[in-house]
Amino acid sequence: MGSLHALDISMMFFAVGTLLVLARLFGEVARHLGQPTIVGEIVAGIVLGPTCLGAIFPAVGHAIFPLSGPVANVREGLSVLAAALFLLMAGLEVDLGSVWRQGRAALSVSVAGMAIPFGVGFGSAWLVPRWLGHQPVTPLFGFALFLGTAMSISALPVIARTLRDLDVFQTDLGMLIVASAVLQDLVGWMIFAIVLGTLGGEGRIFSPGATVAFVLIFAVVMIAGVRRVVDGSLPWIHAHTSWPAGVLAFTLSLALLAAGFTEWIGVHAIFGAFLVGVAIGDSRHLRRRTMAVVDDFVSSFFAPLFFAGIGLKLDFVAHFDLGLVLFVLITASAGKILGSVLGARAGGLGTRESWAVGFGMNARGAMEIILGLSALEARVIDERLFVALVVMAVLTSLASGSLVKNVLRRHTPCRLVDHLPARAFVPDLGDTTRRAAIERLAAALGAASGLNAKEVFAAAWAREELMPTGLGERVATPHARLPGVTRPAVALGVSSRGIDFDAPDGKPAQLIFLVVTGSGDERGHLEILADIARLFRSATLRQAAVAAPSGTELLALLRSGPALLEDGAEGDNRK
Amino acid sequence: MGSLHALDISMMFFAVGTLLVLARLFGEVARHLGQPTIVGEIVAGIVLGPTCLGAIFPAVGHAIFPLSGPVANVREGLSVLAAALFLLMAGLEVDLGSVWRQGRAALSVSVAGMAIPFGVGFGSAWLVPRWLGHQPVTPLFGFALFLGTAMSISALPVIARTLRDLDVFQTDLGMLIVASAVLQDLVGWMIFAIVLGTLGGEGRIFSPGATVAFVLIFAVVMIAGVRRVVDGSLPWIHAHTSWPAGVLAFTLSLALLAAGFTEWIGVHAIFGAFLVGVAIGDSRHLRRRTMAVVDDFVSSFFAPLFFAGIGLKLDFVAHFDLGLVLFVLITASAGKILGSVLGARAGGLGTRESWAVGFGMNARGAMEIILGLSALEARVIDERLFVALVVMAVLTSLASGSLVKNVLRRHTPCRLVDHLPARAFVPDLGDTTRRAAIERLAAALGAASGLNAKEVFAAAWAREELMPTGLGERVATPHARLPGVTRPAVALGVSSRGIDFDAPDGKPAQLIFLVVTGSGDERGHLEILADIARLFRSATLRQAAVAAPSGTELLALLRSGPALLEDGAEGDNRK
């Protein structure tokens, strides 16, 4: 019956399972280091691919991740599907309205921010095609067009996440950066589609001219026609089909059919999926919950498979060419930053904001990698240039956040969950005195984070005697400011009967947070206190925290607090 | 680079997109007819497969759904992945605790409810192997074991849904049925794994004895060991990884690796995924939200692909053998119902409850189909028997709900959303009188559902004059009871300034529901009123309903009310 044998099927499961678990592990490591998850996912693939595993244990690598045959077909099919769904998600985030609202400034940033890096890329391709890896089978014009596009594309999803992290997404500056990125993405993908269209390839059905015509017609139909039809259909779908299965099936199947269509006319499938995302994402009737489901779906399963899958395709060490990497990194960044800054200045922005726009737009992230991979598979570029593009995409994404942060003098607020070690949780302070409670918490914090427990206690108790730290609502926050402490550290003690901290509402404290910060770190101190106040405003979370049996369960609670609250009271968190 | 050509990729996208959209369409039609979605999904596949499309347009069928080659590999890989994820979800729903709590009765129902149909199946296989399609390459003993299992397996997901629909899931009877189905599923899949293990097959790595030993060890390790490790790890995962991506990656990759392992030792991949589901689903720390994400994920994408994919595999008309279908349907149902009723009686249940258990357990649904497909692919059974098993699974699932409903004299309450036609919505009643408002609503209802508008108005106004129907909170429910009306019908009028309906709280009504029911239909009348009161207790929903521009948007609101409310206030339902 089937064309896959049992061994093929088991290898497919091993491959997908291994990719998924390693991508997540490395992704979490990246996140803990303050870097985007995608970096970890790519590294996971490099570890599992010919660069590491394949080089050390070639037999294992070939068995689980073969390069041809039915299992390779399945993995490749999944990977193409994943790329299309990722671009669908990117398209859903596009808000065409914001482009109009930003008007002239967005246009100015987009045009200059694309034209200059495009010119740099296009020019380099003409000047040193051989060194950049131009293949004789590809027309030089197409290669130059591609390199221009690769230099000038931006990564809307990465940019949006950076801006959200820095809390500038909803500001005028944030919306301007997003609007410019949207315009650039639209234009960039159009140009790339046309590049692919103009290249001859095996199994082509249409002439390059017909492909380009189809691309333009398709884009116009999607943005002008389908967008409105979708906006009119969504209420009907919500009214007459089961929720959310109906709207999900509509979104996914429309994206897949459009992807099939664009692939069929001779450009990449992701182009169709992206435009469907734009058409649907623009509707007023799209619900946030629909986006959340697609997001969970794609980010937890398809995106890790895709990005880890890249590392399986080639040996990153063998194809690493330092000169080329530096050249691509420097020309791409210089062109993009310069172009965007000039565009922003011309659009009327101040110096500081213009540099923020430039650094923000320079993140290339997933988009660059998907573009590069498509070009590699269409044989427009070689492995060396592909590796250089991946490295450039990763490094520009890593740098973007901290550069924007510095230039705007923005700061990511400290969160309690990042400064409370699991071992600094004392679930049973019992019925003790204020002094004894602070002493036990200081000892716990000393053991968990290497601070001097005696110093902590002395400072916190001196402060407490000056003025008691009961906040009310059964929360108290004794604290100490110590010289030489570089990072805030918090211990949490629970007393179910409560300990009197002289709170304004007279209630004894059940949750006692001992907060230790550096003497000069006024900001860290206030941010931790604000985070405690914000989180424990919720009575449900307070009760759940008092009942938490261990520090790990407490952290679990804090990290997914909103999700837990949705589940209703604790104890009922099973279906 | 890749082994898939552009044409392959575009056909893959067309195939997946077409399957998804048609599966959903037919699934929705099934749901509107009060039947399980899966029936529609299977029919969609039959329509797209060799039975219909392939018979009428063979060229189109072969291009989009080829039976071999790289595209077929990808589709088959997706389908195996989908089956594993479906079984993972089924496993997550298993609550081992309920089995212990139901104790003797569950054991009695499970044993008798399995033993009798198993005996019937096993016996028939010995008596008429040829007629049942036994293939000489398979040992008769294995074939008989399989047929016994196929007759005795039940479908936990279908049963759980039926019980929830009838609102008996949380009762003792509901928990007993679920617990028995859990036990039967566990035992059934074990036996099936052993059946596959004892059969020789191409590419086998282990001897049948070794496979059976592995299956038993694997099951014990999962249920006894991994289950506890998972319970201990989940809080750590929640505490230290991003939510929900971390826990999803953990669940999915564990399921996929276990699936790969069971496939590798010589039984089907779904067995491993199912047991991982059981091990994880049993943890106290599993959050409802995690299950919801997996559920949305699987039910909206993978399950439709899998069930529609079945219809692509063979011609259901050519392999339809009425005698065999009737034989399978009657022996399977008689054996299962009889066995379960006897077991329930022996376990101490009354007659009526025992029949409810019997009819409930008889649903075979997806489980039977997945079992049959695996057996077909392992060449244990032929196409004729497979078609008979599919038909039996569908018919028993269709019948189960209404049989349990009748025997328990249960009734599914009327819901407003099913009785309010989109055209019976009047968004602009304006600043009119009570009498004029009722007259306009009666006219709208007459036009939308064919009732006599004058009769409706006369009855509703007479009732209104007797006693006004303002409920308070700006809702009024004028109503009429008319002879000859077989189905409740509701019209809704909105008046943003409000019309006085003499409510207890003195506030004029903005939402006026005109409810028409049959003279004798006291229950329908009360249920509709109760549903209105329940829904419009929410101020957010009331405001959104007053602002709804059309009947379609109003229905969209009612059908996904809770999801909308999660989004916060209306107008903010965009990301």
Side-chain angles (χ1 to χ4, degrees), chain A residues 13-23 44 48 64-65, chain B residues 253 256-257:
Chain A
F13 277 111
F14 285 137
V16 177
T18 314
L19 278 176
L20 209 55
V21 71
L22 231 69
L48 289 173
I64 304 186
F65 305 109
Chain B
S253 55
L256 296 174
L257 292 175

Side-chain angles (χ1 to χ4, degrees), chain A residues 1-7 9-14 16-18 20-21 24 28 31-32 67-70 72-74 76-78 80-81 84-85 92-95 164 202-203 205 235-236 238-246 248-249 252-253 256-257 259-261 263-264 269 281-289 291 293 295-302 313-314 376-377 379 383 417 422 551-553 555-557 559-560 563-564 566-568 572-575, chain B residues 1-7 9-14 16-18 20-21 24 28 31-32 67-70 72-74 76-78 80-81 84-85 92-95 164 202-203 205 234-236 238-246 248-249 252-253 256-257 259-261 263-264 269 281-289 291 293 295-302 313-314 376-377 379 383 417 422 552-553 555-557 559-560 563-564 566-568 572-575:
Chain A
M1 190 84 218
S3 49
L4 297 180
H5 296 296
L7 194 62
I9 293 177
S10 72
M11 288 305 141
M12 179 196 85
F13 277 111
F14 285 137
V16 177
T18 314
L20 209 55
V21 71
R24 194 70 234 161
E28 289 296 331
R31 204 177 57 86
H32 276 274
L67 290 172
S68 59
N73 287 340
V74 174
E76 202 186 332
L78 274 176
V80 176
L81 204 62
L85 292 176
L92 285 174
E93 299 216 1
V94 167
D95 180 5
R164 267 200 209 101
E202 4 150 32
I205 303 167
W236 191 91
H238 287 149
H240 296 289
T241 67
S242 41
W243 163 267
L248 284 177
L252 294 176
S253 55
L256 296 175
L257 293 174
F261 177 76
E263 183 82 36
W264 184 66
D282 204 55
S283 167
R284 288 165 297 134
H285 298 290
L286 182 69
R287 302 256 170 88
R288 221 193 292 177
R289 173 81 199 283
M291 309 252 308
V293 176
D295 196 353
D296 282 344
F297 200 104
V298 174
S299 334
S300 321
F301 186 77
F302 288 107
K313 298 205 180 251
L314 68 172
L376 179 67
E377 284 176 349
R379 300 213 180 87
E383 283 84 357
V417 70
T552 301
E553 304 216 18
L555 288 179
L557 209 63
R559 206 171 277 286
S560 49
L564 176 102
E566 262 174 43
D567 280 1
D572 181 34
N573 57 359
R574 273 282 280 119
K575 196 183 143 102
Chain B
M1 191 82 218
S3 50
L4 297 179
H5 295 297
L7 193 62
I9 292 177
S10 72
M11 288 305 141
M12 180 196 85
F13 278 111
F14 284 138
V16 176
T18 314
L20 208 55
V21 71
R24 193 72 235 159
E28 289 295 330
R31 203 176 58 85
H32 276 274
L67 290 172
S68 59
N73 287 341
V74 174
E76 201 186 333
L78 274 177
V80 176
L81 204 61
L85 292 176
L92 285 174
E93 298 216 1
V94 166
D95 178 6
R164 267 200 208 101
E202 4 150 31
I205 303 168
L234 280 181
W236 191 91
H238 287 147
H240 297 288
T241 67
S242 41
W243 162 267
L248 284 176
L252 295 175
S253 55
L256 296 174
L257 292 175
F261 177 76
E263 183 82 35
W264 184 66
D282 204 55
S283 167
R284 287 165 298 134
H285 298 289
L286 182 69
R287 303 259 170 87
R288 220 193 292 175
R289 172 81 199 282
M291 309 251 309
V293 175
D295 195 354
D296 283 343
F297 201 106
V298 174
S299 339
S300 321
F301 186 76
F302 289 107
K313 299 207 181 249
L314 68 173
L376 178 67
E377 285 177 349
R379 301 214 180 87
E383 283 84 358
V417 70
T552 300
E553 306 218 17
L555 288 179
L557 210 62
R559 205 171 278 285
S560 50
L564 178 101
E566 261 174 42
D567 281 0
D572 181 34
N573 57 359
R574 271 285 276 118
K575 195 182 142 97

Side-chain angles (χ1 to χ4, degrees), chain B residues 153-174:
Chain B
I153 201 150
S154 58
L156 183 57
V158 177
I159 292 175
R161 194 152 317 153
T162 304
L163 296 175
R164 267 200 208 101
D165 286 352
L166 296 177
D167 214 7
V168 289
F169 190 76
Q170 300 288 350
T171 65
D172 278 352
L173 182 68

Side-chain angles (χ1 to χ4, degrees), chain A residues 66 524 532 556:
Chain A
I532 291 173

